[in-house]
Amino acid sequence: MGEKIKTLSKGQLLNIDFEVELNHPPREGLDQQIHIQSDKFRFEIDKKDYIKYALSVLVSEKNLRNLKGIK
């Protein structure tokens, strides 16, 4: 695993504290990694895939708000 570069965000979901971290690639030639982790779990994803996922969540939120007439 790559070493932590910085903490991107902290949050709480279902009363569980978690962090979103940017990490160096596990080895040369690979993408940086995003770790979403708490004391009980860790989810690893390549930075480029995380960006795609995050953008799809934002688009989904926008679409839902439009459907429901929420600004």
Side-chain angles (χ1 to χ4, degrees), residues 10-59:
K10 293 182 181 185
Q12 191 177 63
L13 182 62
L14 302 173
N15 294 321
I16 298 172
D17 294 324
F18 67 91
E19 284 189 341
V20 180
E21 298 177 349
L22 176 64
N23 286 264
H24 289 286
R27 63 180 184 267
E28 192 174 324
L30 297 178
D31 289 335
Q32 290 177 325
Q33 300 285 301
I34 300 292
H35 293 176
I36 302 171
Q37 60 189 23
S38 74
D39 291 338
K40 304 215 180 245
F41 74 91
R42 182 173 76 189
F43 175 69
E44 269 183 54
I45 189 169
D46 289 342
K47 183 179 175 183
K48 67 179 180 193
D49 292 330
Y50 175 77
I51 291 169
K52 289 178 192 176
Y53 174 74
L55 289 173
S56 69
V57 169
L58 292 173
V59 169

